[in-house]
Amino acid sequence: MSSIGTGYDLSASTFSPDGRVFQVEYAMKAVENSSTAIAIRCKDGVVFGVEKLVLSKLYEQGSNKRIFNIDRHVGMAVAGLLADARSLSEVARDEASSFRSSYGHDIPLKHLSDRVAMYVHAYTLYSAVRPFGCSFILGSYDKDDGPQLYMVDPSGISHGYWGCAIGKAKQAAKTEIEKLQMKEMTCRELVKEVAKIIYIVHDEVKDKAFELELSWVGEVTNGRHQLIPEEVRQEAEKYAKDSLEEEDDSDEDNMRWHVSQRLHSTAPAAGESPTERGAFRDKPQGTMLSLQFNHGIV
Amino acid sequence: MEKRSVDSRVRGVSTGTTILAATFDGGVVIGSDSRASIGGEYVSSKTINKVVQVHDQIFCCMAGSLADAQAVTKAAKFHLSFHSVQMETPPLVIAAASVLQELCYNNKEELQAGFITAGWDRKKGPQVGAGRGDSHTGSRDTAVQSNSTYWRVAAVLIPCVPLQVYVVPLGGMLVGQPVTIGGSGSTYIYGYVDAKYKPNMSREECLQFATNALALAMGRDNVSGGVAHLVVITETGVEHVVVPGNKLPKFHNE
């Protein structure tokens, strides 16, 4: 799955002999180095949850938010290079606002997601620019069309989802999400499950402190995208912490802990080939993305 | 050739017009007269259809300079067709009215056209809206005060579920209302419409109401006349009704 593309990875305008565009794949690696963001669509709304790693105690609480508001009814959660994500959120805002100005109503989410995905894709075509190093999840609620959820990745593809996860623990998060019966849940129930999933996939050993960012949009907010109110958040965090303690006592959990350790490991373990993720840091040439691995990834 | 300034009579072929749109229970009726005149002196056509289809279930009525109105509706039709292909769904009535509004407002110096938009969309059902695109504002009132002004407003009547018609008069304003009238002939029927319109009428009642209103306006306004073109738009489709001049309802003074 991951390999070094010697010579064919210098620019996004080059294909490799086996038909891959390495720069785009490297951009996706940048996303995988970032902490996890998930979003789940239930029967009456969409809930977003982001594990925002706090790299220094000196940071002001709540700074460097990873959930953005795009127009009143759309929320966007990001993973990857935060600066890239911020610029894409501005693009999404411009699209939504120009649609509203031309057509007099809220932009439908599929259309917004297609437009932003087209923009992201444009940056994968030329050697003069690099692809965006972030994936993002867009969610909205409309009383006629119901809740919708789309995810866009650095290659410029967008898919609609019932639940999705991006970032370093996306596999573990996806497993947890698949266990939920989200089509029958309401937003209030789902908030607690989302908080729990973030707590589960958070790696206590590698990454110490984190802030849980939660937001929702649905019938409960009358179609407006908002951060979760304080009492709901506290209830959700308490539920998450309590379920984690229960699970720590069970055998099953030890298995999961080991699995999540493997997934989070960035250093090549014994027996792993040197082409695993961590090896990119040593590669001196070519990969434009290797310079960004060490900065700006949250 | 055309002197486009305040208070001048509209030169060139224009529609001294009566247009209206009204919502009823389950749909919208949009209608107009069929006379085109030059300067109010010569009838250049007795049978033009001022009700234009801009999308499958969205129609607009034009008022004002015929050339301007046709150019605007042609552009709007293209724009809406492209928009609906992009969105993979028929456009909302409010979107059609907004498209007309943008055209009217951004070109208000050059245009003398107003619209009533009416139609049906899956979100809001039947709706009516009126929009005016012209540098002269407050045309209805001006028309009453001065005999030589023929401000016409094209209304695009778009039926939607919460019965609302959108009117885009000269200037490019956009307003949604349950019933709206426009054109020079509309000044003669404000009283009738205010007195006789009821929300949630049946289809037949609404058709009769619209025919009566058009007949009364055509009877008094020298630049409105000919036949009454009516289009009924509901969820299931669109139906054209044409009432020839001699079949229009007669009132006591005729």
Side-chain angles (χ1 to χ4, degrees):
Chain A
M1 200 168 37
S2 57
S3 61
I4 304 173
T6 322
Y8 299 106
D9 57 359
L10 295 178
S11 79
S13 64
T14 311
F15 276 103
S16 74
D18 50 350
R20 297 154 68 177
V21 181
F22 279 103
Q23 279 299 309
V24 173
E25 295 189 16
Y26 296 166
M28 300 204 221
K29 294 259 179 267
V31 178
E32 281 170 31
N33 279 347
S34 132
S35 65
T36 319
I38 68 173
I40 308 182
R41 170 183 159 191
C42 59
K43 73 176 179 211
D44 65 351
V46 172
V47 179
F48 296 91
V50 176
E51 172 204 6
K52 187 173 74 178
L53 297 182
V54 176
L55 298 170
S56 159
K57 291 202 187 89
L58 295 174
Y59 286 160
E60 191 182 80
Q61 212 211 14
S63 65
N64 282 1
K65 284 204 175 321
R66 286 178 47 189
I67 299 184
F68 302 96
N69 234 336
I70 314 290
D71 207 336
R72 299 182 296 213
H73 63 300
V74 177
M76 170 168 158
V78 306
L81 303 182
L82 191 52
D84 286 9
R86 282 208 190 111
S87 115
L88 281 173
S89 79
E90 277 307 307
V91 168
R93 283 169 185 157
D94 284 341
E95 283 291 337
S97 114
S98 107
F99 185 94
R100 185 189 283 283
S101 165
S102 302
Y103 300 107
H105 64 94
D106 294 352
I107 186 169
L109 193 65
K110 176 164 202 315
H111 190 234
L112 174 63
S113 146
D114 285 347
R115 298 285 297 180
V116 187
M118 249 197 290
Y119 186 92
V120 169
H121 169 251
Y123 281 73
T124 67
L125 296 169
Y126 310 105
S127 59
V129 293
R130 64 162 174 83
F132 283 95
C134 64
S135 287
F136 53 93
I137 313 176
L138 292 164
S140 82
Y141 174 79
D142 173 77
K143 64 175 166 47
D144 297 302
D145 303 322
Q148 318 226 6
L149 184 59
Y150 284 86
M151 196 261 281
V152 178
D153 67 16
S155 65
I157 291 186
S158 95
H159 288 291
Y161 288 87
W162 275 96
C164 65
I166 50 181
K168 54 168 74 131
K170 71 173 187 219
Q171 279 306 115
K174 276 196 187 134
T175 321
E176 291 300 317
I177 293 175
E178 277 165 19
K179 293 182 190 160
L180 297 175
Q181 298 292 341
M182 67 277 284
K183 296 183 195 185
E184 279 114 46
M185 297 172 77
T186 64
C187 272
R188 286 197 182 272
E189 296 158 13
L190 194 55
V191 172
K192 299 199 285 226
E193 297 300 330
V194 165
K196 176 176 159 198
I197 294 176
I198 295 284
Y199 270 85
I200 290 175
V201 304
H202 173 66
D203 183 348
E204 274 301 325
V205 175
K206 284 236 146 19
D207 315 306
K208 294 289 168 59
F210 80 103
E211 266 178 45
L212 172 59
E213 257 184 83
L214 285 170
S215 76
W216 59 5
V217 57
E219 211 178 320
V220 64
T221 62
N222 250 329
R224 290 199 172 214
H225 175 249
Q226 297 166 344
L227 291 180
I228 305 267
E230 201 43 45
E231 6 25 286
V232 180
R233 148 191 290 284
Q234 279 172 5
E235 200 191 322
E237 290 211 8
K238 182 169 174 312
Y239 173 85
K241 287 179 182 148
D242 292 345
S243 355
L244 230 51
E245 276 168 18
E246 283 170 20
E247 291 184 0
D248 272 342
D249 301 333
S250 85
D251 271 349
E252 213 178 308
D253 204 53
N254 291 337
M255 186 90 87
R256 193 201 332 247
W257 188 84
H258 285 301
V259 168
S260 70
Q261 283 301 299
R262 282 289 286 160
L263 288 171
H264 295 172
S265 152
T266 49
E272 268 185 31
S273 88
T275 55
E276 288 295 22
R277 208 180 303 139
F280 280 120
R281 290 179 219 272
D282 308 329
K283 238 5 196 163
Q285 43 135 340
T287 59
M288 300 202 290
L289 231 38
S290 67
L291 286 175
Q292 279 106 26
F293 273 14
N294 296 316
H295 331 250
I297 302 179
V298 287
Chain B
M1 163 192 89
E2 276 119 271
K3 185 158 162 276
R4 293 189 183 285
S5 62
V6 201
D7 295 339
S8 72
R9 291 186 356 178
V10 175
R11 299 254 168 223
V13 177
S14 62
T15 54
T17 285
T18 312
I19 50 179
L20 58 75
T23 49
F24 62 89
D25 184 22
V28 143
V29 168
I30 176 171
S32 74
D33 71 310
S34 70
R35 180 174 293 179
S37 57
I38 299 189
E41 288 155 357
Y42 166 67
V43 174
S44 60
S45 169
K46 295 186 266 188
T47 53
I48 64 159
N49 187 357
K50 301 175 197 176
V51 182
V52 173
Q53 183 171 31
V54 289
H55 198 79
D56 295 350
Q57 284 178 297
I58 306 181
F59 281 74
C60 43
C61 274
M62 5 185 218
S65 150
L66 194 52
D68 290 349
Q70 286 186 345
V72 171
T73 49
K74 191 168 161 195
K77 206 170 171 179
F78 163 75
H79 200 144
L80 280 176
S81 137
F82 186 73
H83 175 65
S84 83
V85 168
Q86 249 190 343
M87 311 296 293
E88 294 170 5
T89 180
L92 298 185
V93 176
I94 176 80
S98 300
V99 163
L100 279 161
Q101 179 195 24
E102 292 262 285
L103 288 165
C104 288
Y105 183 74
N106 292 333
N107 298 296
K108 60 156 79 184
E109 304 303 323
E110 285 85 28
L111 288 177
Q112 276 191 357
F115 301 90
I116 293 179
T117 316
W120 186 93
D121 64 44
R122 61 177 169 79
K123 256 196 175 204
K124 284 212 203 153
Q127 294 155 66
V128 170
R132 300 152 68 113
D134 191 44
S135 51
H136 313 277
T137 52
S139 72
R140 286 204 190 103
D141 299 332
T142 328
V144 170
Q145 286 146 26
S146 139
N147 339 344
S148 64
T149 49
Y150 303 101
W151 307 129
R152 302 161 208 350
V153 169
V156 182
L157 296 167
I158 311 176
C160 328
V161 164
L163 298 162
Q164 263 221 316
V165 174
Y166 294 102
V167 63
V168 180
L170 270 53
M173 163 184 96
L174 175 66
V175 165
Q177 296 163 331
V179 62
T180 191
I181 53 179
S184 60
S186 67
T187 57
Y188 306 103
I189 51 172
Y190 272 103
Y192 178 77
V193 167
D194 288 344
K196 289 293 181 183
Y197 177 75
K198 297 187 307 286
N200 291 326
M201 289 187 276
S202 74
R203 182 183 174 282
E204 283 62 37
E205 279 178 322
C206 195
L207 259 177
Q208 190 59 52
F209 161 79
T211 316
N212 286 349
L214 283 173
L216 284 165
M218 296 197 291
R220 285 294 183 180
D221 185 24
N222 65 324
V223 285
S224 299
V227 309
H229 286 289
L230 293 156
V231 175
V232 182
I233 312 176
T234 57
E235 179 177 358
T236 47
V238 162
E239 188 200 329
H240 294 264
V241 176
V242 176
V243 184
N246 57 349
K247 299 272 193 329
L248 283 173
K250 295 209 185 312
F251 298 93
H252 85 279
N253 56 337
E254 298 173 55

